[in-house]
Structures are given as C-alpha cells and as structure tokens.
C-alpha cells in the first residue's frame, strides 16, 4: 500500500511513542526526530510504501537508542489481556463453532495493537465492544472453498496477544480441514509484532510449523524477507494474512507473486487502510485479496 497523506502524522506519533519507550535521553530523542524528519523529507511521497517507511523508522529508533524491543512491556500486556479474555471467547465458540465465528474472533484479536491505536487506548473495552459487530466484508465461504482445495497453507500472524486468538482458528483449520499449517513470525522485534519466542510461549509450535520471515519488518515485505521464507511463501497456494501491516505489504507484491489465494483478516484501525480497502474506520472484514488463476 502506498502512503496516504495522514500516514505522515501517524509515523510521527508512533515514532514519539517508540522513542519514549526506548529511552529517557532527551538529546537522543531530539537527534532521532531530526533524522526522522530528514528521512521523511527524502522518502515521503505518493510512491512510498507505507510499511517500508514504518520499518525504516522503527529500525532507526532501535539502532540509535540501543533498545532492541521498545514495546516489550506492551507486548506482555497484550498477552495478558488475550489470556484473560480467552475463556469468554472459548465459551462463545462452544455455542457457535462456525468458521465465520472463528475468523471473527481472530479479527477481534487484531485490535490488540498498540502500534496502530496508540498506548492510551482501552484495548479490553474496545475488544468487548467489537464482539457486537458483524463482518462488513464476509468472504468466509470463499475461504472455506479454498481450504477444501489445498493440503497446506501459510498463516501470516501479526501482533503479540493477537496470536492467542489465531491459535484458536489454526486449531480449527487443522482439525476440520486437514491442512498442514505453517505460521510465519518476525525474526526480531518490531513494534508489538509476534516473534518466535512469543509463538512458542503459547504453544503454536505444537499445532503448526513455526518459521521466521528473516526480517524485522512492519508486516510482510517480500524483498526484505529471507530467501528461505520467500521459498516457503512461493510454495503455498493458500495464504491467510492477519492485520494491517501484512495487508500493506501484500498489496505491494509483484504480479507474478499474486498467483495464489490470499485472504486478509483484519480490523480497519486507521483511516488510510479503511480508504484503501473501501471500509469505514473500525470495520472488520474477511476478504480475498488475490486469487489463484
């Protein structure tokens, strides 16, 4: 996805928050902000990739503050919120175990995003309110048809905390559709995205093959990922993508890489993504982004 005009303000808000989490040194923050202004002046234009810009800014912050994981406390909080809510969601699923309901709950988990929504948001209240909503775009039937035509799929996860709800969906896909599932996580911390240790901590490796993308990018950026992960991506005819960053990166794929069924499960947490998809901000959706020809 290319940047929208409002992305600039979001990059700066997120950069300020990340710097505040990473260091108390005001001089470092001033120097960093100057570097970010210079970077945006040179790279912020209508052809800029939104998640490449975000990745470069967060890498800059991590490097200059010597803080590898600024969001570590927020990631732990996200996990705690998810675990606290898990029994409620399991109860809901016990009454309605449809694929649609599982995808909806996985999408509600996508709200666990301090990067997109900021640090002051009441995530638990937001999640509980989202339980009342319906999917504005609901292509679950298409997803089910695709599931019946493959033996394996690649699942691109997004945030720590959210992966607790992804696990519920992955378990259902494995059990009811008999597919082998590869779950892709980040190689190193970036915002509150899930890394290998986060996936292992909730037992994702017990039900799926967990791999890293070979990069610390915001979402999936194909050319930033390792050759090993590119081979994994290319070998799958079905991909399930969670969250905004992955959507942003997938829309930048070259045409020859789009020849597969790719389904996005997300909540439109910002106005730019909402406009890009054709949703209202706050809408939840399951839709096919690409289809195998």
């Amino acid at each position: 996805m290319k940047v929208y005009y409002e992305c600039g303000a979001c990059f700066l808000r997120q950069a300020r928050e990340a710097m505040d989490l990473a260091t108390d040194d005001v001089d470092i923050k001033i120097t960093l902000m100057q570097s970010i202004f210079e970077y945006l002046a040179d790279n912020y234009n209508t052809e800029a990739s939104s998640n490449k810009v975000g990745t470069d800014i967060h890498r800059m912050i991590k490097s200059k503050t010597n803080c590898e994981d600024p969001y570590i406390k927020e990631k732990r909080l996200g996990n705690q919120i998810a675990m606290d809510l898990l029994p409620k969601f399991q109860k809901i699923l016990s009454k309605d175990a449809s694929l649609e309901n599982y995808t909806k709950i996985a999408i509600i988990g996508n709200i666990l995003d301090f990067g997109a929504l900021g640090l002051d948001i009441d995530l638990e209240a937001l999640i509980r309110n989202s339980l009342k909503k319906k999917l504005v775009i609901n292509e679950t039937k298409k997803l089910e048809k695709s599931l019946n035509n493959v033996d394996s799929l690649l699942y691109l996860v997004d945030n720590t905390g959210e992966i607790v709800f992804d696990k519920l969906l992955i378990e259902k896909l494995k059990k009811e559709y008999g597919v082998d599932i590869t779950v892709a996580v980040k190689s190193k911390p970036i915002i509150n995205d899930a890394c290998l240790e986060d996936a292992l901590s909730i037992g994702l490796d017990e039900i799926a093959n967990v791999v890293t993308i070979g990069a610390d990018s915001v979402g999936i950026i194909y050319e930033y990922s390792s050759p090993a992960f590119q081979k994994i991506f290319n070998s799958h005819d079905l991909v399930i993508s969670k969250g905004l960053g992955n959507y942003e990166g997938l829309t930048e794929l070259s045409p020859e890489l789009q020849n597969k069924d790719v389904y996005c499960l997300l909540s439109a947490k910002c106005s730019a993504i909402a406009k890009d998809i054709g949703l209202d901000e706050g809408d939840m959706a399951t839709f096919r982004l690409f289809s195998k020809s």
Side-chain angles (χ1 to χ4, degrees):
M1 188 183 90
K2 306 304 183 187
V3 296
Y4 284 72
Y5 83 90
E6 58 262 53
C7 294
C10 186
F11 288 138
L12 293 175
R13 186 268 303 165
Q14 199 175 97
R16 175 185 60 79
E17 291 178 347
M19 283 188 282
D20 285 345
L21 293 171
T23 183
D24 293 324
D25 191 317
V26 176
D27 291 334
I28 290 177
K29 292 178 186 179
I30 289 290
T31 302
L32 253 174
M33 194 58 80
Q34 289 172 338
S35 298
I36 291 168
F37 285 150
E38 291 170 0
Y39 171 85
L40 289 173
D42 292 337
N43 295 280
Y44 192 75
N45 55 63
T46 56
E47 293 303 308
S49 164
S50 55
N51 55 343
K52 284 184 180 179
V53 172
T55 296
D56 291 347
I57 289 174
H58 281 283
R59 286 179 173 177
M60 196 183 306
I61 292 169
K62 291 195 296 178
S63 175
K64 294 192 176 184
T65 62
N66 291 316
C67 181
E68 182 67 15
D69 195 359
Y71 286 79
I72 187 168
K73 291 182 179 179
E74 283 64 34
K75 288 160 69 176
R76 289 172 179 166
L77 176 60
N79 271 341
Q80 187 58 55
I81 292 172
M83 293 306 295
D84 289 346
L85 289 169
L86 184 58
K88 180 180 180 67
F89 287 161
Q90 288 173 323
K91 184 177 180 180
I92 292 170
L93 291 170
S94 70
K95 297 177 181 178
D96 179 358
S98 64
L99 179 61
E100 178 180 336
N101 217 31
Y102 270 84
T103 58
K104 179 182 176 183
I105 284 176
I107 292 168
I108 289 173
N110 184 236
I111 297 169
L112 285 168
D113 189 351
F114 293 101
L117 297 172
L119 299 178
D120 298 326
I121 193 73
D122 185 345
L123 286 176
E124 186 168 348
L126 190 58
I127 287 171
R128 292 188 187 279
N129 289 334
S130 296
L131 281 168
K132 305 172 186 176
K133 295 183 178 180
K134 293 183 178 181
L135 299 179
V136 175
I137 303 176
N138 183 1
E139 296 190 344
T140 311
K141 294 295 185 184
K142 289 182 180 179
L143 172 58
E144 190 162 29
K145 184 176 180 180
S146 294
L147 285 165
N148 287 323
N149 288 324
V150 297
D151 296 320
S152 64
L153 67 88
L154 175 63
Y155 196 110
L156 306 176
V157 298
D158 191 12
N159 303 318
T160 301
E162 175 181 351
I163 56 175
V164 171
F165 306 112
D166 289 324
K167 186 180 178 182
L168 294 173
L169 175 57
I170 290 167
E171 287 173 328
K172 181 178 181 66
L173 297 178
K174 186 177 180 69
K175 180 179 179 180
E176 294 196 8
Y177 298 91
V179 290
D180 291 325
I181 301 173
T182 296
V183 174
V185 298
K186 300 303 162 55
S187 302
K188 295 187 293 184
I190 185 82
I191 322 181
N192 59 326
D193 286 15
C195 295
L196 182 59
E197 64 181 286
D198 304 308
L200 298 180
S201 72
I202 66 163
L204 265 181
D205 58 313
E206 297 170 7
I207 60 170
N209 176 34
V210 181
V211 301
T212 67
I213 68 167
D216 58 341
S217 58
V218 176
I220 180 72
I221 303 176
Y222 185 83
E223 55 266 44
Y224 284 14
S225 63
S226 67
F229 176 74
Q230 290 177 4
K231 185 176 180 180
I232 291 170
F233 183 88
N234 297 343
S235 69
H236 283 85
D237 290 328
L238 175 59
V239 176
I240 293 178
S241 165
K242 285 296 298 301
L244 306 191
N246 286 323
Y247 167 81
E248 293 172 64
L250 290 168
T251 58
E252 295 287 304
L253 286 176
S254 57
E256 63 270 18
L257 295 173
Q258 296 176 15
N259 186 26
K260 57 179 76 252
D261 285 344
V262 176
Y263 289 87
C264 294
L265 282 60
L266 55 78
S267 170
K269 291 169 290 193
C270 74
S271 58
I273 292 242
K275 287 191 289 190
D276 202 70
I277 300 172
L279 300 170
D280 290 328
E281 194 169 352
D283 285 349
M284 300 188 300
T286 295
F287 60 94
R288 188 164 62 185
L289 179 63
F290 303 129
S291 62
K292 185 173 176 61
S293 59

